[in-house]
Amino acid sequence: MADNSKLQIAMFPWLAFGHMIPWLELAKLIAQKGHKIFFISTPRNIDRLPRLPQNLASMIQFVKISLPHVDNLRENAEATIDLPYDEVKYLKQSFDCLEEPMAKLLQSLAPDWLLFDFAAYWLPARARELDIPSGFFSIFTAATLGYFGPSSVLINDSGDHLKTPEDYTRVPSWVSFPTTISYRLFEARKVFDILISDESNVSHGYRFGQSLKGCDIVAVRSCMEFEPEWLKLLEQLHRKPVIPVGQLPTTTGDGDSDAETDTWRSIKEWLDEQEKGSVVYVAFGSEAKPSQEELTEIALGLELSKLPFFWVLKKRLGQADTEPIELPDGFEERTRGRGVVYTSWAPQLAILAHDSVGGFLTHAGWSSVVEALQFGMPLIVLTCYADQGLNAKLLEEKQIVELIPRDEGDGFFTRNSVAESLRLVLVEEKGQIYRDKAKEMKGLFGDKGRHDRYVDNFLNYLKNHRCLRKGEEINTTV
């Protein structure tokens, strides 16, 4: 007899590892509770995802769907990391050709629910034809979604809102409470081109707008303790249930390979030799890369700070990146013994958890933020693109991070401002507020039981909705 208390959920994230990894974390949390997950992506992306814990392998079924051929898309390019920034539009074109294959796949899988990402704006209507309810799952904070406003604004059919980069530097009119959250002008200029449409593609704004308009519920990587006013605003803007699923702190896979163990052993030996709370950890995520000019100022700022540092440096982002960045001449020689530059994979969670690390210089990608705050790690921020500017302002508003001072127009910053910000957060008395706030946030972001309860609440909603549709008795057991 079938267990009617268990769900079958299809998950379809956008083809970027900054999306797929938190989606997989949510999948694992749901699978731990006995529910079946169909995790849908392309073959190469699925093969590159972290290994599942052995106890969950039977509950998460990876379903491979091949990208259709489109002109100008590079061979074997299946994720944003496989392409230069200006070629991601071809990946979107191929992705949009998945509408019919996805409809057929959903018909064969017949899940109880579909969770989809912003890029698949065409999918909720197809799911509805199959009588499959859908949820838009946002890896972005509630503040980011709230800042961009109602579907009508995103779809761009409601007048003259947000028509220039300068418009993105102001708090929107639909935000009804005091806040400073908006882009700085140099950040707005970077995101403006992806938010508006061009002749060859559908804009991100339109995709978000139609996704939010077409879904039955909105699930957000957030929690009420962190941004309650933004979660309430989302319900007002979209007039549908908005359900936080917790912060989804990253977990590790099923054991470590010998190579990973050896890598951590050598890194740990160096960290063990440093004073408690003295080391700056530097990393900018899997898909963000500073420009050559920015890299030079970061490096020389680290040198000027006189602080020990461990820098995970990606000189290029994948094989398609033909413009590698290089450290300043003599930098590694001058900082030898005080700092380490690591150009291959490094275990970020283990590094952030180490007692000698006292601060994290990062780009404010939300997964990196969550990983740092779950260990009570204060942050020093240099944003690169996308939602990072809004994340940074949200964290600054809560006095959790120090933003390295930059020119508002072009984003320029100096080595001196890097050094001063690092020393402020790690050693100076004035920076004690950041260290204290980070410790306070550890109680929220590091509380796995709390985030687990958010997932319970989310699953109860999905189950109760199914019961109501099928005329079954509502059961609160997860």
Side-chain angles (χ1 to χ4, degrees):
M1 185 175 177
D3 185 352
N4 291 328
S5 69
K6 300 305 180 185
L7 294 164
Q8 296 192 72
I9 301 171
M11 302 180 75
F12 188 46
W14 166 234
L15 307 179
F17 281 91
H19 288 243
M20 288 183 276
I21 297 301
W23 274 73
L24 187 59
E25 289 299 324
L26 180 59
K28 289 192 286 186
L29 289 170
I30 292 173
Q32 283 173 5
K33 300 174 187 299
H35 304 282
K36 178 76 174 182
I37 297 291
F38 301 112
F39 196 96
I40 305 166
S41 193
T42 66
R44 189 160 179 250
N45 288 338
I46 286 174
D47 291 344
R48 289 183 285 181
L49 287 170
R51 288 176 300 172
L52 290 175
Q54 198 167 20
N55 65 310
L56 299 181
S58 64
M59 301 306 298
I60 299 177
Q61 179 182 336
F62 289 115
V63 181
K64 296 181 177 181
I65 188 167
S66 296
L67 281 173
H69 171 76
V70 296
D71 292 341
N72 301 312
L73 181 62
R74 298 184 186 211
E75 188 177 0
N76 296 322
E78 298 185 9
T80 53
I81 200 170
D82 300 326
L83 295 162
Y85 175 76
D86 61 354
E87 292 184 23
V88 172
K89 60 186 177 184
Y90 305 125
L91 185 65
K92 292 182 200 169
Q93 290 172 8
S94 179
F95 184 81
D96 287 344
C97 294
L98 288 174
E99 180 175 350
E100 288 301 327
M102 275 298 299
K104 291 178 181 176
L105 180 58
L106 288 176
Q107 187 173 24
S108 66
L109 294 175
D112 296 304
W113 275 88
L114 163 70
L115 298 182
F116 70 100
D117 211 336
F118 81 99
Y121 69 98
W122 30 262
L123 197 50
R126 302 307 301 268
R128 188 168 291 111
E129 292 171 1
L130 299 168
D131 198 29
I132 299 170
S134 67
F136 168 46
F137 171 45
S138 170
I139 65 160
F140 303 99
T141 64
T144 295
L145 283 187
Y147 171 85
F148 284 111
S151 299
S152 58
V153 169
L154 287 158
I155 295 169
N156 204 27
D157 65 357
S158 63
D160 295 325
H161 298 285
L162 307 177
K163 296 294 186 183
T164 69
E166 286 76 12
D167 292 333
Y168 287 88
T169 65
R170 295 184 280 271
V171 177
S173 60
W174 51 81
V175 178
S176 56
F177 46 84
T179 183
T180 60
I181 294 176
S182 63
Y183 282 107
R184 291 172 285 182
L185 183 56
F186 71 90
E187 294 166 335
R189 286 172 172 158
K190 285 184 178 180
V191 302
F192 185 67
D193 63 325
I194 66 170
L195 290 169
I196 59 174
S197 60
D198 58 37
E199 293 180 358
S200 65
N201 223 308
V202 177
S203 72
H204 276 207
Y206 186 86
R207 291 174 188 272
F208 271 102
Q210 290 290 7
S211 294
L212 287 160
K213 183 179 179 180
C215 66
D216 295 294
I217 62 168
V218 181
V220 187
R221 184 186 190 181
S222 185
C223 55
M224 286 297 294
E225 296 88 341
F226 189 67
E227 44 179 356
E229 63 284 318
W230 289 102
L231 287 162
K232 291 173 185 174
L233 176 64
L234 287 178
E235 287 206 326
Q236 294 166 11
L237 292 175
H238 300 293
R239 299 178 183 178
K240 60 185 63 178
V242 174
I243 306 173
V245 298
Q247 294 291 354
L248 308 179
T250 306
T251 56
T252 56
D254 188 20
D256 298 320
S257 68
D258 291 341
E260 290 171 348
T261 302
D262 290 344
T263 294
W264 171 234
R265 187 179 295 116
S266 65
I267 292 171
K268 184 177 183 299
E269 286 176 2
W270 185 84
L271 290 173
D272 286 344
E273 296 171 358
Q274 312 307 313
E275 292 183 16
K276 183 178 180 179
S278 67
V279 176
V280 180
Y281 174 56
V282 186
F284 294 97
S286 61
E287 300 192 39
K289 187 184 79 170
S291 68
Q292 181 59 62
E293 181 182 29
E294 290 170 339
L295 177 80
T296 298
E297 295 304 312
I298 292 168
L300 297 179
L302 282 166
E303 186 175 347
L304 281 172
S305 75
K306 305 297 184 185
L307 295 168
F309 63 87
F310 190 94
W311 189 353
V312 179
L313 174 62
K314 292 197 171 191
K315 294 187 176 183
R316 45 190 301 203
L317 297 177
Q319 296 299 314
D321 186 353
T322 58
E323 298 180 2
I325 49 179
E326 299 294 342
L327 291 165
D329 289 343
F331 169 78
E332 289 184 270
E333 289 76 12
R334 295 192 301 273
T335 58
R336 183 167 286 122
R338 176 163 69 84
V340 173
V341 178
Y342 213 78
T343 56
S344 56
W345 177 87
Q348 180 158 294
L349 282 176
I351 294 170
L352 288 169
H354 197 281
D355 285 346
S356 70
V357 179
F360 183 14
L361 174 54
T362 183
H363 59 321
W366 201 248
S367 288
S368 291
V369 168
V370 171
E371 289 182 356
L373 293 181
Q374 71 184 92
F375 297 112
M377 186 63 59
L379 299 151
I380 309 96
V381 165
L382 274 170
T383 61
C384 293
Y385 66 97
D387 60 318
Q388 295 158 18
L390 300 178
N391 293 343
K393 291 298 282 288
L394 174 64
L395 295 165
E396 182 188 45
E397 194 170 85
K398 295 177 180 291
Q399 297 181 298
I400 297 171
V401 304
E402 164 74 1
L403 303 188
I404 292 176
R406 304 173 75 162
D407 183 274
E408 290 285 325
D410 62 13
F412 177 76
F413 59 90
T414 68
R415 61 201 69 175
N416 289 322
S417 62
V418 173
E420 290 165 6
S421 295
L422 292 174
R423 293 196 62 81
L424 171 69
V425 171
L426 268 79
V427 298
E428 292 181 8
E429 187 175 342
K430 286 183 179 178
Q432 187 64 45
I433 187 171
Y434 299 118
R435 300 190 287 274
D436 290 343
K437 280 286 185 178
K439 289 177 184 175
E440 181 184 325
M441 287 297 104
K442 180 179 180 179
L444 172 58
F445 283 74
D447 185 348
K448 292 186 178 180
R450 183 195 307 263
H451 298 295
D452 191 59
R453 289 190 291 275
Y454 273 103
V455 175
D456 287 344
N457 181 63
F458 176 56
L459 290 169
N460 275 330
Y461 182 92
L462 300 187
K463 288 170 57 182
N464 290 343
H465 184 279
R466 183 186 64 179
C467 290
L468 289 171
R469 289 173 64 237
K470 295 185 176 182
E472 298 171 353
E473 184 179 348
I474 290 178
N475 188 330
T476 59
T477 304
V478 173

